[in-house]
Amino acid sequence: MAKGGGERGALLPVSADDDGKGNGGGGGGDDAVLFKGSAMTRRGAAAALSYMACSVLLVMFNKAALSSYNFPCANVITLLQMVCSTCLLYVLRRLKIISFTNSDPSVPSDSLFFVPFRLLLRTTPLSLAYLLYMLASMESVRGVNVPMYTTLRRTTVVFTMTMEYFLAKQKHTPPIIGSVALIVFGAFVAGARDLSFDARGYAIVFVANITTAVYLATINRIGKSSGLNSFGLMWCNGLVCGPSVLFLTYIQGDLRRTVEFPYLYSPGFMVVLLFSCILAFLLNYTIFWNTILNSALTQSMCGNLKDFFTVGIGWVLFGGLPFDLLNVIGQGLGFLGSGLYAYCKIKGK
C-alpha cells in the first residue's frame, strides 16, 4: 500500500481523489475518459457498475428474507447490517488496512472514534438522513412486488433533482430533464393497472424515494467537504445510527419476535442474512463512491438502469405481477429514459 495521502495502492478506492492522480484525465489510468469526447471517466463507470450489481443482489436477498421466509422484523435486518458493517470497518482500521480520511492508514489516530469528534458532529445530518433512508427502504420492499417496487423507485430522480437544486443550486440541461420526465411517465404507465395495488405499500415506497433523495444530496454536499473518505462516512453513519436502530427495535418488540422466529436457525435463512449484510456493506460503499465521484442524480439514474435486471430476476423468483402490456410499455419507457440520461452523461450534455 502506497504511503501518503490518497491510498493509491489500496484494494478499494475510497474517495474522489484516489488512484487517479497524475493521469491528467487523458492517460491510461482510472481517471482517463471512457472514450474520446466522453464526460465520464473509467473510474466513474466502475463505480456506477459496482453499485448496480450490489443493489440488484441486495434487493433479492432482502426480498427473500422478508417475503419468502416471512421474517417480520425489517428493522432487525437493518440493525444487523449496521453492526456487521461497523465491526468490519473497526477491524480493518485497527489493522491499519484502511483509513477513514484521505491519509496514510498507518498513521495512528488520536481519537477514540478514529475520527475527530467535530467531524462526527459535522456528519450527523448525513447519518440521520442515512437512518431514515435505511428504515424506509427496507420496509418498502415488503409491501410491494419486486417489479412494481422498482417501477415506483424510479421516481426518486425527481426528488433528487429537487434536493440538488435546493441544497447545491445545481441546474440541469433540457435533455437531462427530458430523460427524467420520460422515466416518471413510464413509471405511472407501468403502475396504471397494478392488480396488486396496496396504498400503504405505495406510500412507503414514495417515503423511501424522498429519504433516498435527501440522503444522496447530503452525501454530495457533506462527503466532499468533510475530509472523510467513503469508509469514514460509513463509519460515522454506523456510530450515530446503530444505537438509534437498536433502541427502535427494542421498544417495538422486534428483538423478541426475532428470537421467536421459527426459521431463525434455518441454514437457508442464515445464508440469506449473511449475504444481505455483506451486500449492504458493499452497497453503502459503492453509493458513497459513485455519488462523490459522479453526482447524486447519476446515482439515482444508476438505480434506474439496474432495474432492468431487478425486474427480470424478481419476476422470475418472486412473481406477484401478472403480465400486462401497459406495464411492459411503462417499463420500456423508463428504461429508455434511463438510457437517454446515461447517453447525455457520457457525452457531457
Side-chain angles (χ1 to χ4, degrees):
M1 185 173 295
K3 305 290 182 186
E7 297 171 271
R8 220 180 133 78
L11 266 178
L12 295 173
V14 292
S15 74
D17 300 321
D18 289 346
D19 70 314
K21 293 178 181 179
N23 293 334
D30 290 338
D31 274 350
V33 295
L34 280 175
F35 50 82
K36 188 175 181 180
S38 171
M40 179 174 281
T41 64
R42 294 176 184 174
R43 195 151 53 101
L49 291 174
S50 299
Y51 159 73
M52 288 189 280
C54 292
S55 183
V56 171
L57 293 173
L58 182 60
V59 169
M60 295 302 122
F61 280 101
N62 285 344
K63 184 67 176 177
L66 295 172
S67 297
S68 298
Y69 284 96
N70 292 317
F71 185 61
C73 308
N75 290 343
V76 171
I77 297 181
T78 302
L79 178 62
L80 286 174
Q81 292 171 349
M82 286 185 180
V83 170
C84 291
S85 176
T86 304
C87 290
L88 180 58
L89 287 171
Y90 176 83
V91 172
L92 293 175
R93 181 64 184 90
R94 177 61 68 180
L95 295 176
K96 300 179 181 178
I97 296 175
I98 64 172
S99 174
F100 292 154
T101 60
N102 298 319
S103 62
D104 186 354
S106 64
V107 176
S109 173
D110 57 355
S111 172
L112 175 64
F113 301 109
F114 294 118
V115 296
F117 187 69
R118 59 177 178 80
L119 279 183
L120 194 61
L121 289 178
R122 186 175 180 181
T123 59
T124 299
L126 175 63
S127 299
L128 295 178
Y130 170 72
L131 178 62
L132 294 175
Y133 155 74
M134 284 288 288
L135 295 177
S137 297
M138 180 64 69
E139 188 62 34
S140 66
V141 177
R142 182 197 302 275
V144 181
N145 56 67
V146 172
M148 282 313 305
Y149 169 79
T150 55
T151 298
L152 295 173
R153 287 289 275 165
R154 288 195 204 114
T155 60
T156 302
V157 295
V158 177
F159 300 105
T160 303
M161 289 181 69
T162 304
M163 293 306 302
E164 281 189 328
Y165 176 77
F166 284 110
L167 292 180
K169 301 301 180 184
Q170 183 172 349
K171 297 181 180 180
H172 300 281
T173 61
I176 294 293
I177 296 175
S179 66
V180 171
L182 187 58
I183 290 171
V184 175
F185 178 69
F188 280 106
V189 171
R193 287 209 297 249
D194 180 19
L195 301 180
S196 59
F197 176 80
D198 179 352
R200 179 180 179 275
Y202 274 45
I204 294 176
V205 173
F206 279 112
V207 170
N209 290 348
I210 296 173
T211 58
T212 300
V214 172
Y215 177 52
L216 295 180
T218 309
I219 290 177
N220 210 28
R221 186 176 185 183
I222 295 180
K224 292 181 179 179
S225 61
S226 65
L228 296 173
N229 58 33
S230 300
F231 292 128
L233 293 172
M234 290 169 63
W235 172 253
C236 291
N237 279 352
L239 291 182
V240 175
C241 299
S244 302
V245 178
L246 177 60
F247 178 72
L248 181 63
T249 55
Y250 175 76
I251 63 174
Q252 289 183 336
D254 287 342
L255 296 180
R256 177 182 53 80
R257 285 197 294 270
T258 298
V259 173
E260 297 171 352
F261 183 60
Y263 299 108
L264 182 62
Y265 298 107
S266 166
F269 181 70
M270 294 178 72
V271 168
V272 167
L273 283 185
L274 174 63
F275 276 96
S276 177
C277 292
I278 293 173
L279 288 167
F281 174 83
L282 295 175
L283 179 66
N284 287 329
Y285 166 77
T286 55
I287 286 176
F288 283 117
W289 186 28
N290 190 30
T291 305
I292 293 175
L293 198 60
N294 294 310
S295 71
L297 185 58
T298 298
Q299 169 65 29
S300 292
M301 283 298 182
C302 287
N304 289 327
L305 288 173
K306 57 86 180 171
D307 285 347
F308 176 79
F309 302 99
T310 306
V311 168
I313 298 173
W315 217 320
V316 172
L317 295 181
F318 304 107
L321 188 65
F323 176 82
D324 180 74
L325 181 60
L326 200 61
N327 186 278
V328 173
I329 293 174
Q331 299 279 4
L333 290 173
F335 295 135
L336 179 62
S338 299
L340 176 62
Y341 174 84
Y343 174 80
C344 294
K345 176 67 177 178
I346 291 174
K347 300 298 286 187
K349 295 182 179 180

